[in-house]
């Protein structure tokens, strides 16, 4: 048997291909001219001719022997085996023989059915690769899957109808705010002034396209590149166009059936609708509906309303710069409104720059110079609603919107949602508050500001307030926003903590100063009590500082803060005052607003319960469903007994001949309350209540040039102007109301004498002289006492309450900063208090 040669390990010899080719050529030649046995071939190897060769069949000679005819088997390596009947074929880059029976035979390397190597593909797929599917299977699976997905999309697209019905409120989605008697306070939401597309100048169209959908004129209603850019902006933080095209936005805002919810189903439906609308409508038709429905801010829906709201012009008068500014606002109008109200113009300026850059790229010949010629957005008109924000109405509307926003309904929802909003405001009493303030302060400097708030203690409704003379001229709302030191008007919360701790009104306290408490400079009184001791009732009526500092030390500041915070006072401000002034908190170093004080005193008028202060009773949507209700669950801050006993002491402020609030008395009903005046007369208060109404009046002065807070002047203390304003308002507010008496004294608690109880005397040993302030003077920072001439009450007495003169006009009442230096507010603001903006007209919401 002939020896079969195999290729060398690692591959064929370099000359093998050449030799096989030569052998093949020789064999073909031999087919035409029979070779003689033993005749050498061109390769120099002996050749033997089989019978098949003699019959004229061509042979190919391999290096390993002669191939003959016979059965055909595929052999790897390109050479046939040396047996009779074998045949070799030349294929591709190698010689692949096919063996007959004379080859390796069954099971050999060339037999695909035997245990040999098999074909080339099987030899390559070894190890983990044998588990991978064939590429043919992958392609086939992907094709079937894609066909299924596209089929489903096609079915969904075919079943999505083209919308035909506009939204019911597409041209009027305004809301109405009502007074408490259900008369109209304001209508919010602009009725669009529809304009046809031929009335819209080209620069407006170009600006909107540049801002919202730069492929609008070419796309088919959707923009996949825009979707990708939107995704990138989310990742990178860049400001680019949104994913929704103008066609999609128009469909969503104009037609019924496309909600504003965020869901994949809604987005897919929106895409289908946009594609269909793009086929049925011209670009001008789409743009016209878009421009008449889109929201721009300031309550302006549609381009014509926006042109009026921001520039007081018709749409046809808009310049390219104005158009660019308005187009930029479409992206997030509510956010831009809030920023501009806060005097932050950066967001709208950034958006304006983006739009003019896009315009210059869309039409360089027409707008190429815009970025350099007009880099700053054009000036806008001040935001004023001529119909509903004039006078004091703007203050009410602003507070309603602010509360709705806190409870999840923002301004855009109000202006587009068609709500009926029922406020707590009494129209008659709002006018009464304005009249009471302005008539009783008309002789004062215009730098002096007054805030008034009146709250029904039985439900927490703010029924009236005075925040300023005119919203259009001065948007700052003193009733809600001006945080000032409470001075002696804070003492009732200390009294409540004292009673809640189980101590009685009959307890005796220190009536003579000074007193030193931990972390606090010595505190004095405006006048000392003869004998040096005073009970709680008299201490309250005459506002004795030393007594209230002792009460605060005894119960602890945490208890005082807990009660005040439970009554609606800002706890953060209280903690700041505690940190900065320690026990001076007990005599009013914390900052409060008139609304907080009116609500705070409601715990006394309403048996210890406090309702959250609020201005909205309920909100009803267009389907007549109530979507927002008032909170009718009170917080029991102190016991009813503690509240009743506190009223006994607070009534003496008004009833006692030496009480500081005698001018607040109403002739036909009981009144309780407390005065307060801060250091150097920088703030003055009167807070008082009847069983049906709790009202706070606070005053302060702000320099027009510097905005710094400055003294009110010697004629303004808690017992003078604030008390007069309070009396004038309450007299009108209680007119015709049922006369309800306060509950009787509970007389609970045990006597806790922190000062010796004076011995009874059959005859007076000393009479009180209002001109004698006892130990006048207050140590300055160097410990030297320098009482100012002619001043009954020195800086350093927080709540140095006035003592009534014979005519009842009152004396002086002051307070310090709590650190004992007697002049804590020279910087112009109470610690932690909000600083009011420039009182000049701003035309912007606060």
């Amino acid at each position: 048997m002939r020896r079969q040669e195999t290729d060398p390990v690692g591959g064929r010899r370099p000359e093998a291909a050449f030799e096989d080719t030569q052998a093949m050529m020789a064999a073909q030649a031999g087919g035409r001219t029979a070779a003689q046995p033993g005749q050498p071939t061109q390769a120099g190897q002996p050749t033997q001719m089989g019978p098949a060769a003699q019959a004229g069949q061509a042979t190919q000679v391999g290096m390993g022997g002669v191939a003959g005819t016979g059965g055909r088997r595929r052999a790897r390596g390109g050479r046939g085996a040396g047996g009779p009947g074998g045949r070799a074929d030349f294929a591709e880059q190698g010689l692949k023989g096919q063996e007959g029976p004379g080859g390796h035979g069954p099971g050999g390397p060339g037999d695909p059915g035997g245990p040999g190597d098999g074909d080339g593909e099987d030899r390559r797929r070894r190890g983990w690769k044998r588990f991978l599917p064939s590429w043919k299977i992958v392609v086939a699976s992907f094709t079937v899957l894609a066909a299924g997905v596209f089929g489903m999309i096609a079915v969904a697209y075919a079943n999505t109808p083209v919308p035909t019905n506009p939204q019911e409120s597409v041209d009027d989605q305004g809301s109405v705010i009502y007074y408490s008697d259900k008369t109209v306070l304001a209508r919010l939401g602009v009725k669009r002034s529809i304009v046809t597309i031929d009335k819209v100048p080209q620069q407006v169209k170009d600006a909107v396209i540049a801002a919202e959908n730069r492929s609008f004129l070419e796309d088919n209603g959707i923009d996949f590149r825009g979707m990708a850019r939107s995704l990138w902006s989310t990742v990178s933080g860049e400001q680019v166009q949104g994913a929704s095209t103008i066609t999609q936005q128009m469909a969503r805002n104009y037609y019924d059936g496309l909600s504003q919810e965020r869901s994949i189903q809604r987005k897919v439906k929106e895409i289908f609708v946009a594609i269909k609308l793009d086929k049925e409508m011209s670009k001008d038709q789409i743009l016209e509906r878009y421009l008449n429905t889109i929201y721009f801010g300031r309550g302006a829906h549609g381009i014509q309303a926006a042109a009026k709201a921001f520039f007081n012009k018709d749409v046809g008068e808009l310049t390219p710069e104005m158009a660019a500014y308005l187009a930029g606002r479409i992206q997030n109008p509510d956010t831009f409104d809030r920023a501009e109200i806060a005097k932050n113009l950066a967001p709208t300026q950034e958006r304006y720059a983006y739009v003019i850059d896009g315009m210059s790229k869309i039409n360089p010949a027409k707008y190429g110079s815009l970025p350099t010629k007009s880099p700053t957005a054009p000036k806008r008109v001040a935001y004023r609603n001529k119909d509903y924000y004039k006078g004091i109405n703007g203050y009410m509307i602003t507070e309603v919107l602010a509360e709705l926003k806190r409870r999840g309904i923002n301004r855009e929802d109000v202006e587009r949602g068609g709500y009926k909003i029922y406020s707590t405001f009494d129209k008659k009493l709002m006018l009464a508050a304005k009249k009471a303030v302005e008539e009783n302060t008309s002789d004062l400097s215009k730098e002096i500001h007054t805030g008034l708030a009146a709250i029904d203690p039985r439900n927490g409704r703010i029924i009236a307030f005075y925040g300023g003379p005119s919203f259009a001229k001065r948007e700052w709302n003193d009733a809600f926003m001006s945080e000032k030191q409470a001075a002696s008007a804070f003492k009732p919360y200390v009294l409540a903590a004292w009673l809640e701790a189980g101590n009685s009104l009959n307890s005796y306290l220190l009536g003579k100063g000074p007193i030193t408490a931990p972390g606090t400079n010595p505190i004095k009184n405006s006048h000392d009590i003869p004998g040096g001791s005073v009970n709680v009732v008299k201490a309250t009526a005459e506002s004795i500082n030393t007594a209230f500092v002792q009460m605060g030390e005894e119960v602890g500041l945490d208890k005082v803060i807990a009660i005040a915070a439970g009554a609606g006072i800002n706890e953060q401000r209280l903690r700041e005052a505690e940190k900065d002034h320690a026990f001076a908190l007990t005599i009013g170093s914390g900052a409060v607003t008139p609304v907080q004080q009116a609500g705070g005193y409601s715990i006394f008028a309403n048996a210890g319960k406090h309702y959250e202060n609020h201005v909205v009773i309920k909100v009803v949507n267009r389907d007549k469903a109530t979507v927002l209700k008032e909170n009718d669950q009170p917080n029991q801050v102190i016991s009813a007994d503690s509240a009743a006993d506190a009223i006994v002491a607070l009534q003496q402020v008004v009833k006692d001949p030496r009480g500081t609030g005698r001018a607040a008395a109403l002739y036909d009903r009981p009144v309780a309350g407390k005065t307060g005046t801060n250091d150097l007369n920088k703030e003055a208060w009167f807070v008082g209540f009847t069983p049906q109404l709790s009202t706070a009046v606070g005053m302060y002065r702000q320099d027009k040039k510097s905005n710094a807070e400055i003294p009110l002047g010697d004629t303004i203390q808690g017992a003078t102007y604030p008390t007069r304003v309070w009396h004038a308002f309450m007299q009108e507010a209680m007119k015709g109301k049922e006369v309800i008496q306060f509950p009787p004294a509970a007389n609970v608690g045990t006597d806790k004498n922190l000062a010796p109880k004076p011995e009874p005397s059959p005859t007076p040993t000393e009479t009180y002289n209002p001109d004698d302030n006892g130990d006048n003077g207050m140590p300055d920072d160097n410990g030297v006492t320098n009482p100012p001439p002619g001043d009954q009450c020195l800086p350093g007495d927080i709540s140095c309450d006035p003592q009534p003169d014979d005519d009842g006009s009152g004396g002086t009442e002051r307070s310090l900063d709590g650190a004992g230096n007697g002049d804590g507010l020279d910087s112009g603001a109470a610690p932690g208090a909000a600083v009011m903006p420039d009182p000049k007209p701003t035309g912007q919401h606060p």
Side-chain angles (χ1 to χ4, degrees):
M1 176 181 288
R2 286 199 177 118
R3 177 177 59 86
Q4 178 186 5
E5 293 187 3
T6 60
D7 288 343
V9 176
R12 302 178 63 191
R13 291 179 297 107
E15 63 273 20
F18 173 78
E19 292 172 347
D20 286 350
T21 303
Q22 294 298 316
M24 178 190 70
M25 294 174 64
Q28 288 175 337
R32 294 185 296 270
T33 304
Q36 297 298 324
Q39 184 177 351
T41 66
Q42 292 182 1
Q45 298 294 331
T47 304
Q48 294 182 358
M49 305 297 294
Q54 295 177 1
Q57 293 183 357
T59 61
Q60 294 182 354
V61 181
M63 291 298 297
V66 180
T69 62
R72 302 179 63 187
R73 294 182 184 273
R74 185 174 178 180
R76 292 185 55 84
R79 289 185 300 275
R87 193 175 101 178
D89 294 330
F90 183 75
E92 296 183 357
Q93 294 183 359
L95 294 174
K96 295 184 180 181
Q98 295 196 355
E99 302 171 12
H104 285 291
D111 188 351
D117 292 336
D119 65 6
E121 185 175 356
D122 287 340
R123 290 183 60 189
R124 287 193 301 271
R125 297 180 60 79
R126 293 179 178 175
W128 61 269
K129 293 184 179 180
R130 68 182 182 273
F131 296 108
L132 295 180
S134 165
W135 66 269
K136 297 178 181 179
I137 296 175
V138 172
V139 171
S141 300
F142 178 79
T143 302
V144 172
L145 180 62
V149 170
F150 283 112
M152 288 188 292
I153 292 175
V155 171
Y157 176 79
N159 290 329
T160 300
V162 177
T164 56
N165 297 324
Q167 295 177 18
E168 181 180 350
S169 56
V170 70
D171 61 346
D172 183 10
Q173 295 176 305
S175 297
V176 182
I177 301 176
Y178 298 94
Y179 284 107
S180 59
D181 64 359
K182 298 184 181 180
T183 58
V184 174
L185 164 62
R187 296 182 186 274
L188 301 182
V190 179
K191 283 193 175 183
R192 298 170 180 85
S193 299
I194 303 297
V195 292
T196 56
I197 196 66
D198 60 295
K199 302 296 183 181
V200 179
Q202 188 61 43
Q203 58 261 29
V204 175
K205 301 176 188 176
D206 292 340
V208 171
I209 291 172
E212 291 296 306
N213 183 191
R214 294 181 182 177
S215 65
F216 172 68
L217 297 177
E218 294 82 29
D219 65 39
N220 61 350
I222 58 173
D223 181 9
F224 289 108
R225 288 182 299 177
M227 295 178 187
R229 285 194 300 270
S230 179
L231 177 62
W232 173 249
S233 71
T234 302
V235 176
S236 67
E238 293 183 14
Q239 185 190 49
V240 298
Q241 294 170 231
S244 293
T245 63
I246 286 174
T247 308
Q248 289 174 265
Q249 293 180 60
M250 182 275 290
R252 183 169 62 245
N253 292 323
Y254 188 85
Y255 289 105
D256 260 342
L258 287 175
S259 67
Q260 299 289 334
E261 67 179 6
R262 296 177 179 272
S263 68
I264 295 177
Q265 182 180 2
R266 193 274 297 168
K267 193 67 178 178
V268 171
K269 183 178 180 181
E270 179 185 292
I271 290 173
F272 291 163
V273 168
I275 294 173
K276 291 191 172 186
L277 289 175
D278 188 76
K279 291 181 178 180
E280 296 189 3
M281 299 173 63
S282 69
K283 294 293 184 180
D284 273 352
Q285 288 176 313
I286 293 171
L287 196 58
E288 178 180 298
R289 288 186 179 177
Y290 177 79
L291 290 174
N292 280 311
T293 56
I294 202 69
Y295 180 65
F296 289 87
R298 291 194 180 184
H301 295 267
I303 189 64
Q304 173 64 21
K308 283 288 187 181
F310 289 92
F311 300 107
N312 197 26
K313 293 182 178 294
D314 288 324
V315 63
E317 301 174 292
L318 294 177
T319 65
E321 291 85 352
M322 293 174 181
Y325 170 81
L326 293 177
R329 278 188 138 267
I330 295 173
Q331 183 193 56
N332 204 336
D334 241 7
T335 299
F336 293 145
D337 273 349
R338 289 192 293 270
E340 290 192 346
I341 288 169
K343 300 186 183 304
N344 177 14
L345 304 182
T348 46
Q349 174 59 37
E350 180 183 359
R351 190 64 181 164
Y352 168 79
Y354 171 78
V355 178
I356 59 174
D357 177 69
M359 294 172 71
S360 68
K361 291 176 180 177
I362 290 175
N363 192 338
K366 189 173 182 180
Y367 309 117
S369 62
L370 269 182
T372 54
K373 183 184 73 172
S374 304
T376 304
K379 185 178 179 180
R380 283 79 72 189
V381 298
Y383 181 23
R384 296 176 186 172
N385 189 312
K386 296 180 180 178
D387 294 328
Y388 297 111
Y389 280 82
K390 63 183 179 181
I392 62 174
N393 284 17
Y395 298 115
M396 290 183 277
I397 295 170
T398 301
E399 292 308 321
V400 167
L401 293 176
E403 182 169 314
L404 291 177
K405 182 180 177 182
R406 290 194 298 270
R407 300 187 66 180
I409 302 176
N410 63 35
R411 179 176 183 132
E412 186 174 351
D413 293 333
V414 170
E415 295 184 350
R416 303 181 65 177
Y419 296 110
K420 291 183 178 180
I421 303 160
Y422 297 90
S423 78
T424 61
F425 303 129
D426 184 308
K427 183 177 182 179
K428 178 183 174 182
L429 294 186
M430 285 295 300
L431 295 174
K434 177 179 171 65
K435 181 179 179 181
V437 171
E438 295 179 358
E439 286 188 354
N440 285 277
T441 62
S442 60
D443 60 330
L444 299 177
S445 167
K446 298 302 181 184
E447 293 180 330
I448 295 175
H449 304 287
T450 305
L452 180 153
I455 295 177
D456 188 334
R458 299 165 297 184
N459 49 39
R461 295 178 182 178
I462 302 172
I463 66 170
F465 68 90
Y466 180 83
S470 171
F471 184 79
K473 295 179 180 178
R474 182 175 173 270
E475 297 176 3
W476 185 267
N477 189 333
D478 282 313
F480 286 80
M481 303 170 72
S482 292
E483 293 179 307
K484 303 298 175 185
Q485 282 188 327
S488 289
F490 186 80
K491 289 177 180 176
Y493 305 115
V494 182
L495 172 62
W498 173 262
L499 296 171
E500 279 290 283
N503 304 311
S504 75
L505 291 175
N506 296 322
S507 303
Y508 275 83
L509 305 161
L510 186 63
K512 183 178 181 179
I515 184 173
T516 301
T520 309
N521 284 357
I523 294 175
K524 291 175 57 63
N525 299 313
S526 64
H527 65 279
D528 287 333
I529 298 296
S533 295
V534 63
N535 67 23
V536 174
V537 175
K538 188 174 181 66
T540 303
E542 299 189 29
S543 199
I544 304 301
N545 292 339
T546 53
F548 282 87
V549 173
Q550 274 194 315
M551 284 192 272
E553 282 190 276
E554 179 65 24
V555 302
L557 291 181
D558 282 346
K559 296 291 180 61
V560 174
I561 290 173
I563 287 176
I569 307 301
N570 188 309
E571 184 174 358
Q572 180 181 349
R573 295 285 188 247
L574 296 173
R575 293 296 180 188
E576 290 170 356
E578 178 190 24
K579 178 181 177 183
D580 295 339
H581 309 303
F583 283 91
L585 173 68
T586 61
I587 47 178
S589 63
V592 295
T593 67
V595 167
Q596 290 172 357
Q597 282 289 71
Y601 276 43
S602 69
I603 66 173
F604 306 113
N606 192 33
K609 295 188 288 292
H610 177 263
Y611 288 88
E612 182 182 4
N613 305 331
H614 59 281
V615 300
V616 176
I617 297 174
K618 67 177 179 178
V619 177
V620 178
N621 65 17
R622 284 180 295 188
D623 297 327
K624 299 182 179 181
T626 300
V627 296
L628 188 151
K629 298 179 180 179
E630 66 180 333
N631 180 6
D632 58 0
Q633 297 300 313
N635 175 28
Q636 190 76 43
V637 181
I638 60 176
S639 69
D641 287 344
S642 294
D645 281 353
I647 289 174
V648 171
L650 293 172
Q651 277 190 279
Q652 293 306 306
V653 174
V654 179
K655 294 169 64 175
D656 192 294
R658 296 176 181 175
T660 60
R662 289 190 304 167
L666 297 175
Y667 77 94
D668 64 340
R669 64 189 67 239
V671 170
K674 188 70 187 73
T675 55
T677 308
N678 207 343
D679 183 32
L680 294 179
N681 292 26
K682 284 187 174 177
E683 290 123 8
W685 293 88
F686 184 78
V687 187
F689 56 92
T690 65
Q692 300 104 310
L693 194 61
S694 176
T695 299
V697 177
M699 299 179 69
Y700 68 97
R701 184 172 186 170
Q702 187 173 31
D703 183 78
K704 285 185 177 180
K705 294 182 179 179
S706 66
N707 275 350
E709 190 173 337
I710 58 178
L712 287 161
D714 291 339
T715 61
I716 303 177
Q717 301 92 34
T720 59
Y721 283 92
T723 304
R724 294 172 195 167
V725 171
W726 186 94
H727 181 274
F729 170 76
M730 288 294 285
Q731 190 168 337
E732 184 66 26
M734 302 311 298
K735 186 181 295 184
K737 297 293 193 299
E738 180 186 1
V739 177
I740 301 175
Q741 299 298 325
F742 287 125
N747 292 319
V748 296
T750 58
D751 296 351
K752 183 111 178 163
N753 296 326
L754 302 181
K757 184 176 180 180
E759 293 294 332
S761 175
T763 59
T765 58
E766 185 177 358
T767 59
Y768 169 66
N769 182 355
D771 294 327
D772 180 8
N773 289 324
D775 187 9
N776 265 333
M778 183 70 187
D780 62 18
D781 292 342
N782 297 319
V784 179
T785 299
N786 295 305
D791 199 339
Q792 295 184 21
C793 185
L794 283 255
D797 290 334
I798 291 189
S799 156
C800 186
D801 281 358
Q803 295 307 304
D805 298 329
D806 291 339
D807 61 0
S809 62
T812 59
E813 177 186 4
R814 303 183 185 171
S815 62
L816 76 153
D817 66 346
N821 58 24
D823 194 13
L825 295 179
D826 282 351
S827 61
V835 178
M836 194 190 76
D838 189 340
K840 295 178 181 179
T842 63
Q844 302 289 329
H845 285 300

